[in-house]
Structures are given as structure tokens and as C-alpha cells.
């Protein structure tokens, strides 16, 4: 074989392999990986890489569907199937295959392996470098597939019988696992500014426009967990649930103190939602 792909026991050339659309790697990046090189059909530091692989999976609560020694044996067997003795060896495990939902599915994890020819590194090679600010964890405003933090937060919410998880940074509320969060205080609609710490939701933008139309003052400024606890109302918004009322945080009651103002926002948001649905329904279904 020139290359090798492995998926839950199925083996073939990489370009011939397929993966179920519902594998959680596809929409959450919900998995871990490790990789090393193989020279002369000998995999470099395999046990150490496999140990790290299992540590990474355990940190995310992913149960790898085989024992360490079985995985080592599998990888050693697979590299022998390639024509080239020098290879790049990559393997990963994803949380499983299930319809898209942030909280964990009950099914088994999926094991992947990819092998391709790769010549050993030139030990005499020199490098050229470029400096880049480390912003790897400051891209919440981009709707990427890398959703493991949201997945873990949603799972915690599910384990506590809750519907959402509220993220905060040193007490400053940012957003939820898969929603935006806002408060009403003294007649003012408060929401975190649309910076790199939140995904600026479409429903959030509609709520801001609705506030303007209804004459409700808006404050786009960060607020704290304590502000949230003392708010007149707590509002969660997302594309499918455009203005939802929250009445509990960490087992304690919140909001519920400005029902008329909340109802004005809620009704206007859902009226706009259904009006858009009616307008964009295919002509044959109207």
C-alpha cells in the first residue's frame, strides 16, 4: 500500500476511506491525537506517544476502545503494510458517532490511523523563524469547529440538570456554551461587547435592533457574575431560541424581576423570527 487509513477496523488507501458525517470530529473537533515518525518500519518512541495519547483522552473523558498494548501492536502491524519503510504515523480517537449535540453521546469512541510515506528529517537542516502573538485561546468570535471547551461545559450543564453553561473569565461573564447571554438591569439591556471573547450571535444582533426599535437603552459592556445574580432579568439567545429567560444560576434563583420588559423583548424577537420563517418558506409550501 502507498498510504493507509484505518477507521474502527476498516483499512484502505487514505483517499478511499470515508468517515460518517456524524463523527464528532466533523462538527466539534471532539477528540485527541498523537503522531510520530517511523524509520525502517520502527516507530519512534511509540510507548511514550501512546502514553500521552491516553492521558489526553482521559483528560476529556474519552474512553479509547482498546488497551495501550493493543494499540501499540496495531500500529506496529499497520506500518508493515506500507511499501515505504519510512512513514509519518498519525492516530486519533473521537468521542463517537451521534447526531450533533454538545453533551456527550453514549456510544463508543472512534479510532483513526493514517500512515503516509515521509523521509527522515535531515539532521543538518537549519530553520528560519517568524514570531506570532499567542492568541490561540482568544478566538471565541470565530465560529470554528474547535468546540471542545463548549462540549465540556455543556456536559457539565447536563450532569447538573441544567440547560446551559455560563462562561466567565475572572468573574467577567462572556457567553454560554452555545448561546449569548445578556441581562436587563434598571431598564437597560446589557450585553458583553462584540470582541474576541464572544461569538457575536445573529440573535444577539437582532435583540440589539429590537431594543433600539422599542426604545430600550443598550449597554455593550462587560458585566460580572455578581451583576448577573443581581440582574432584573437574565436572557439567553441563540438562533433557534432567540430570547429565552433564565431563572436559575448555580442552583440559586436569578432574574424574574422585570416580567413586562422581558415579555416585550421576547414577543418582539419571536414575532421577527416567525415573520422571517414565513417570508423565506419555499413558494410551494406557502
Amino acid at each position: 500500500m502507498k498510504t493507509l487509513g484505518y477507521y474502527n477496523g476498516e483499512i484502505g488507501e487514505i483517499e478511499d476511506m470515508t468517515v460518517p458525517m456524524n463523527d464528532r470530529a466533523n462538527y466539534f473537533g471532539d477528540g485527541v491525537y498523537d503522531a510520530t515518525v517511523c524509520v525502517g518500519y520502527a516507530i519512534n518512541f511509540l510507548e511514550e506517544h501512546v502514553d500521552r495519547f491516553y492521558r489526553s483522552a482521559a483528560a476529556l473523558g474519552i474512553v479509547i476502545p482498546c488497551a495501550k498494548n493493543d494499540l501499540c501492536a496495531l500500529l506496529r502491524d499497520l506500518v508493515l503494510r506500507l511499501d515505504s519503510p519510512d512513514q509519518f504515523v498519525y492516530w486519533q480517537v473521537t468521542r463517537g458517532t451521534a447526531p450533533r449535540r454538545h453533551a456527550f453521546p453514549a456510544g463508543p469512541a472512534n479510532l483513526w490511523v493514517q500512515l503516509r510515506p515521509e523521509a527522515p528529517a535531515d539532521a543538518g537542516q537549519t530553520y528560519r523563524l517568524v514570531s506570532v502573538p499567542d492568541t490561540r485561546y482568544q478566538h471565541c468570535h470565530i465560529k470554528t469547529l474547535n468546540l471542545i471547551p463548549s462540549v465540556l461545559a455543556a456536559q457539565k450543564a447536563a450532569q447538573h440538570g441544567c440547560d446551559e453553561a455560563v462562561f466567565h473569565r475572572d468573574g467577567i461573564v462572556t457567553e454560554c456554551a452555545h448561546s449569548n447571554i445578556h441581562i436587563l438591569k434598571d431598564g437597560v439591556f446589557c450585553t458583553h461587547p462584540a470582541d474576541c471573547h464572544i461569538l457575536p450571535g445573529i440573535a444577539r444582533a437582532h435583540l440589539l435592533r429590537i431594543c433600539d426599535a422599542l426604545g430600550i437603552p443598550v449597554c455593550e459592556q462587560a458585566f460580572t457574575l455578581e451583576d448577573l445574580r443581581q440582574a432584573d432579568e437574565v436572557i439567553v439567545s441563540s438562533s433557534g431560541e432567540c430570547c429565552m429567560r433564565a431563572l436559575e444560576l448555580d442552583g440559586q434563583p436569578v432574574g424574574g424581576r422585570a416580567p413586562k420588559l422581558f415579555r416585550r423583548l421576547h414577543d418582539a424577537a419571536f414575532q421577527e423570527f416567525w415573520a422571517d420563517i414565513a417570508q423565506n418558506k419555499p413558494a410551494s409550501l406557502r
Side-chain angles (χ1 to χ4, degrees):
M1 299 179 69
K2 294 181 179 179
T3 66
L4 183 145
Y6 172 101
Y7 186 82
N8 290 343
E10 296 291 328
I11 296 174
E13 295 282 351
I14 290 174
E15 61 269 23
D16 296 330
M17 297 295 291
T18 59
V19 173
M21 289 189 69
N22 275 337
D23 189 300
R24 285 172 67 90
N26 294 331
Y27 38 67
F28 288 131
D30 192 4
V32 300
Y33 80 97
D34 219 298
T36 185
V37 296
C38 174
V39 179
Y41 292 115
I43 304 176
N44 182 247
F45 300 135
L46 178 59
E47 289 83 1
E48 294 172 59
H49 283 278
V50 167
D51 282 344
R52 181 173 64 181
F53 181 60
Y54 275 76
R55 289 196 303 272
S56 295
L60 293 186
I62 297 175
V63 179
I64 296 172
C66 62
K68 287 184 184 181
N69 59 337
D70 292 330
L71 178 58
C72 289
L74 173 66
L75 293 170
R76 289 189 176 109
D77 172 69
L78 292 178
V79 299
L80 295 175
R81 301 176 184 232
L82 256 65
D83 300 334
S84 171
D86 303 330
Q87 306 166 27
F88 175 69
V89 183
Y90 173 96
W91 62 98
Q92 70 180 36
V93 65
T94 60
R95 199 177 301 277
T97 304
R100 190 183 189 279
R101 183 173 179 269
H102 281 68
F104 298 176
N110 297 321
L111 182 64
W112 312 34
V113 181
Q114 289 190 24
L115 308 176
R116 58 177 170 78
E118 183 170 290
D122 177 2
Q125 178 184 357
T126 59
Y127 275 52
R128 299 175 64 198
L129 307 177
V130 62
S131 61
V132 179
D134 188 354
T135 63
R136 288 173 293 176
Y137 302 101
Q138 299 178 22
H139 296 293
C140 299
H141 60 300
I142 304 171
K143 206 169 180 69
T144 76
L145 298 177
N146 300 298
L147 290 172
I148 287 178
S150 293
V151 165
L152 297 179
Q155 178 66 14
K156 181 176 180 180
Q159 290 171 343
H160 285 78
C162 295
D163 304 293
E164 253 291 20
V166 179
F167 286 127
H168 60 91
R169 295 172 182 245
D170 298 321
I172 300 296
V173 174
T174 53
E175 59 184 351
C176 296
H178 45 86
S179 312
N180 288 126
I181 187 165
H182 330 278
I183 61 174
L184 289 171
K185 182 65 176 179
D186 297 330
V188 178
F189 181 88
C190 302
T191 187
H192 195 286
D195 58 17
C196 65
H197 294 137
I198 73 163
L199 179 71
I202 302 303
R204 174 186 178 276
H206 279 262
L207 284 174
L208 293 177
R209 289 197 288 271
I210 289 169
C211 284
D212 182 63
L214 296 179
I216 299 172
V218 168
C219 176
E220 292 190 71
Q221 184 174 325
F223 55 87
T224 67
L225 276 172
E226 185 58 28
D227 292 332
L228 192 153
R229 293 187 180 100
Q230 299 301 320
D232 296 329
E233 296 287 351
V234 177
I235 298 172
V236 174
S237 66
S238 65
S239 292
E241 300 174 335
C242 47
C243 185
M244 308 299 288
R245 194 182 208 182
L247 293 175
E248 180 183 307
L249 174 68
D250 296 330
Q252 300 297 317
V254 295
R257 304 186 186 100
K260 291 183 179 179
L261 183 56
F262 169 75
R263 182 54 60 181
R264 289 180 68 202
L265 266 177
H266 174 276
D267 291 352
F270 275 95
Q271 285 171 10
E272 192 175 80
F273 174 88
W274 288 112
D276 184 75
I277 293 293
Q279 180 178 346
N280 289 287
K281 185 177 291 188
S284 60
L285 298 178
R286 291 177 188 170

